[in-house]
Amino acid sequence: MESLIQTINKLQDVFAVVNENPIDLPQIIVVGCQSSGKSSVFENLVGKSFLPRGTGIVTRTPLILQMIKYTNKDREFMLKLTNNDNIKEWACFSHKPNVVFKNFDEVRQEIEKRTDILAGENKRITDKPIVLQVYNSLYTLTFVDLPGITKLSVGSQPKDIDEQIEKLIFKYAQQPNSIILAVVTANTDPATSESLKIAKQFDPEGARTIIVVTKLDLIDQGTIKDTTDFLSGKIILVKLGIIGVVNRSQKDINENKTMEETLRSETEFLRSNYPDIYKNHGYQVLAHVLRDILIKHIQKTIPTLYKNLQHTIIKLESELQTLKTPDCEIEFISELLTDISSSYCATVIGNRKDISNKTLVGGARIADIVNNQFVKEFMKVDPLHDLSDEDIRIKLLNTAGIKKSKSINQDAFEYLVRKQLENLIEPALSCVEIVRVEMMNIFDTIDQKYLDKLNRFPKLNIDIKNTLKKLLESKSKSTKKSIRSYIKTHQESLNITNPIFLSQLIKLSSMCQNPLKNNYSKHFDQARTIMYQTGKTQSDFSMLVKDIMTDLYKEILSGLSGTYTSDEICVQVQLQKHLIKNYFLFIRDILKDFVPNRINHKLINFIIKKFYKQLKTDVLIPFINIPPSKRMLVEEEGVAEERQRTELLLNAVNRAFKCLDEI
């Protein structure tokens, strides 16, 4: 079973080299406040005094402590390096794999040196770990010691030291495979313990938390019963248990009290003060429990770990493929232009296989924008915007001159309708602009793997986007021109006798419905009589009805002026107002469909058909014509480093997978 822990040790070593951990490793992380006795817990488990001590923050990097019950092979390797058969326990660092430390004071010095290298000498924190292997004859166990929690900066410590430490602890504690070893002091109220707050935050059920209670020898005798209840799990419930320990005092350290003597003193203290539960506490129990917990936890997580490593390998291989240096630049650009064009067009059309089911993208978003922005706003345009009755009256009088008539003033009507239809041009052209912007934005939503390739080469990226931008701007102008011309045609060529308009006019006007109802039968009978007398076909009959109906609408329209009882000019104003409004609504309904259709035809479909051809013309051909010596694709700054990082990480994950595969 110890081989399981050593396998995880190997994975920690592998990922420590690249300073990245792409998977959630099963491990015990140690969380506690400064001066909670965290260092003493480590040293008592190891049986050696080797950790840096002092005021303020001492632990400034994650310290991965791997206790290894050495094998004959391990001992032979040590002897090969030292030629010293008297060494019974020794240490090695992953950054100095071929250096054996037999003096644990030197281990402390090396931790201090390495910390200054990784974190700097200004008391800052780093997430770069130090990996320390301690070879012993007792057991195999692994911990990750994290900086002690603090709330105030002291001396030269950074002002945000509490935030730095919290961020680092959270990084480890939030991983589901981390066992949280929360160190609390016996003379601290559990309700205010910072380490227990963090454990509760990331493990609310207490399923992966074990509590270690230190400084049992420093509490008042009157609080022993409360402490007993705490140690027995009656105050806080965690599923992995609560274990009390007694650390070496500063006096013990100064007098070089051995670990063996410390363990004997601890046992006597626990037996005397906690006679009913002492067998469940102490460092020997803690080591056994932690080892048992870690092994079972590793066994539980191995299948998931194995699967995660496989997925990580596939992901990194894909990333590396994206980051690889092109063998043939022309072929690379040609294929990339084809892929980008195809993905762009598929996104617009809706043919993407990896299309989102969460948000609207591509053509669907354009359609949604047209329906929810353009159509709604377009239909809100007031037919009589900025046109008062007084404006109509003055125009009627000015166009009539010295004449007075009850008939419709066609000149005034045409002028005023043209003026009101002008209000439809701006929202119609705005729709073109909205679609143009969205067509440009769609480029950033194409297949991510093509964007990742393109992002490596800033100039190529700019050239491709500029090609699309120029194409969209050019076609937007011609589309706007076409739409403006179409609206101008309706402004210049009014057709007040259009049957559809007149039909809508009557439907929308209660004053017209009664005259139409009274006259409809008479005119329809007239048309049928003519058909029988002349022997015309059904098709001819339909045309005849259309002509007669048009005359009927004219008749009703002319009679509208008789429905007003006000003075003559007021009658004309109301009639003109009525006609202007209904003709405006008639044309607006036509444009509501025409504008989106014209945009689809003149802009969207054109881009879909011409994008790739334009890319070849503007990007590929100029690239081919550049002399080979000047044709080098220039990668974005940092891409080479990212490629190297990905290669190293992929190698590390492959090694980790091989280690796991050996179990």
Side-chain angles (χ1 to χ4, degrees), residues 581-623:
K581 177 179 178 180
N582 283 280
Y583 195 82
F584 182 96
L585 296 177
F586 165 60
I587 298 300
R588 189 177 68 181
D589 280 342
I590 295 174
L591 294 176
K592 178 189 70 175
D593 296 325
F594 172 81
V595 171
N597 290 338
R598 182 51 56 101
I599 292 173
N600 280 338
H601 172 63
K602 294 281 287 182
L603 179 60
I604 299 175
N605 291 337
F606 180 87
I607 297 297
I608 290 172
K609 292 178 182 177
K610 300 294 184 180
F611 186 32
Y612 176 67
K613 183 178 179 181
Q614 200 65 38
L615 285 175
K616 286 181 65 177
T617 302
D618 291 356
V619 180
L620 183 60
I621 293 176
F623 183 82

Side-chain angles (χ1 to χ4, degrees), residues 328-516:
C328 175
E329 292 183 355
I330 294 177
E331 183 180 345
F332 171 80
I333 291 180
S334 179
E335 289 179 359
L336 184 57
L337 294 181
T338 301
D339 291 336
I340 287 173
S341 173
S342 298
S343 182
Y344 180 86
C345 294
T347 304
V348 175
I349 296 170
N351 290 342
R352 284 267 297 276
K353 294 180 181 179
D354 60 336
I355 206 70
S356 171
N357 61 348
K358 301 294 184 183
T359 57
L360 293 177
V361 296
R365 176 162 170 76
I366 291 176
D368 183 67
I369 288 174
V370 169
N371 292 329
N372 291 320
Q373 290 188 32
F374 165 69
V375 173
K376 286 183 179 180
E377 293 303 316
F378 197 65
M379 298 305 283
K380 288 180 182 177
V381 178
D382 184 3
L384 302 174
H385 173 69
D386 200 25
L387 182 65
S388 65
D389 288 1
E390 181 64 13
D391 294 334
I392 297 174
R393 189 185 73 84
I394 292 175
K395 190 63 182 178
L396 285 171
L397 293 174
N398 286 337
T399 53
I402 61 173
K403 298 176 289 182
K404 293 184 179 181
S405 174
K406 289 186 178 181
S407 61
I408 299 171
N409 187 324
Q410 187 70 16
D411 291 339
F413 171 73
E414 290 182 0
Y415 174 85
L416 292 172
V417 165
R418 290 191 190 103
K419 176 178 178 294
Q420 295 311 109
L421 289 178
E422 190 74 21
N423 294 328
L424 294 175
I425 294 177
E426 192 277 330
L429 300 186
S430 293
C431 184
V432 180
E433 190 60 22
I434 290 171
V435 173
R436 182 195 70 80
V437 171
E438 188 57 33
M439 290 283 285
M440 195 68 213
N441 291 339
I442 286 174
F443 187 87
D444 294 325
T445 67
I446 67 173
D447 196 318
Q448 189 60 44
K449 63 185 177 184
Y450 302 137
L451 289 176
D452 289 341
K453 282 186 179 181
L454 189 58
N455 287 336
R456 292 169 52 198
F457 308 103
K459 186 178 184 307
L460 181 62
N461 193 352
I462 292 171
D463 288 347
I464 291 175
K465 286 185 177 180
N466 281 342
T467 297
L468 178 60
K469 182 180 178 182
K470 288 190 292 185
L471 201 58
L472 283 168
E473 287 176 348
S474 172
K475 290 311 296 178
S476 293
K477 287 180 181 178
S478 63
T479 304
K480 288 178 181 179
K481 183 178 180 181
S482 174
I483 292 173
R484 184 188 292 274
S485 176
Y486 185 78
I487 296 175
K488 285 292 184 184
T489 299
H490 280 286
Q491 287 178 294
E492 298 300 327
S493 304
L494 302 184
N495 185 5
I496 197 171
T497 62
N498 184 296
I500 297 175
F501 158 63
L502 293 171
S503 177
Q504 290 182 359
L505 176 65
I506 292 171
K507 287 178 182 178
L508 295 171
S509 173
S510 59
M511 68 184 71
C512 294
Q513 289 175 359
N514 289 332
L516 175 60

